[in-house]
Structures are given as structure tokens and as C-alpha cells.
Amino acid sequence: MKRDEVQVNWTGLSEEIMQGIGEWREQHPRATFREIEAEIDKRMSELRAKMISDTAMASGQAEWETGAIGVVCPKCGEKLEKKGKKKRKLATQGGREVELIREYGVCPQCGQGIFPPG
Ligand SMILES: [Zn+2]
């Protein structure tokens, strides 16, 4: 994904979220401060998760593909063999799960499978 496309996606999603919050407020005119806070947190965590996932994927992939980082086995120091892209699930602080599609490497010496750092 190119940087411009990523940012267009973020802008679209943030507009949706802001509109959603406005609509929610109309439907919940008596919501307490805490309820408003919880609702906004919940909605913002969606954008947060998407931004984390997109940013992590963009930088991690670029580094691996250009060879800017040496991806080696932490045990043997052997250069990892690329084994194609795999999904990796990570939990964010907002309690959401982010799915990253990352290049996956395997150590030719010990067979250890590793996702590049990031
Ligand atoms: Zn190894």
C-alpha cells in the first residue's frame, strides 16, 4: 500500500467515526460524561488499530524487501529464508486485535520461524 492510499483510508475512516459519534450523541442526549468517554474511546480505538496495523505493515515490509535490516536468527545468526507472507495477530492497548500480514522467515540452521522485528 502506498502512503497516499493509506492516508486516504485513514481520513475516510476518521470522518466515519466522527459522524458516528455525532449520531450517537443525538440518540443519547442524556449520556453521562463517562458514557461519552467510553463511546469515543471505543470508536477511536478502531481508527487507532487500523493506523497501527497500516503503519507497521508499511515500514516492516519496506525494510525487509530493501534489505535495510539484516533479518537473522537470534540463536544462530543465520540469515533467514523468506517463506512468504503470513498473518500475524497482535493485541493493541485499546484491547483490539490487529492483523498484520508480514513476510515470514525461517532459519535454515535450526528451523526457527520468525517475523521480522517491528
Ligand atoms: Zn537458527
Side-chain angles (χ1 to χ4, degrees), residues 3-115:
R3 200 198 302 174
D4 290 354
E5 287 173 42
V6 168
Q7 285 171 349
V8 165
N9 283 343
W10 291 350
T11 306
L13 184 59
S14 59
E15 278 168 5
E16 251 174 61
I17 288 169
M18 285 165 201
Q19 200 185 333
I21 291 169
E23 282 165 12
W24 178 88
R25 183 62 176 145
E26 278 169 23
Q27 288 156 14
H28 301 84
R30 287 161 186 267
T32 64
F33 183 81
R34 289 278 166 237
E35 285 166 344
I36 292 168
E37 188 185 24
E39 188 65 25
I40 290 176
D41 277 352
K42 193 177 80 185
R43 289 169 190 258
M44 293 302 284
S45 75
E46 229 176 280
L47 178 64
R48 193 172 170 276
K50 173 129 183 70
M51 289 177 80
I52 292 169
S53 152
D54 287 348
T55 306
M57 272 201 272
S59 59
Q61 288 297 284
E63 282 169 2
W64 175 279
E65 274 157 25
T66 59
I69 49 164
V71 184
V72 295
C73 174
K75 280 194 275 182
C76 335
E78 282 291 317
K79 212 172 171 207
L80 300 181
E81 288 173 358
K82 284 188 196 182
K83 292 290 177 189
K85 293 182 164 82
K86 283 198 181 181
K87 280 184 186 172
R88 178 189 195 186
K89 285 185 176 173
L90 294 171
T92 69
Q93 282 185 353
R96 266 176 195 277
E97 211 170 53
V98 173
E99 213 172 62
L100 302 181
I101 298 162
R102 305 294 296 268
E103 194 79 53
Y104 185 73
V106 173
C107 173
Q109 188 122 346
C110 69
Q112 168 96 41
I114 296 160
F115 284 100

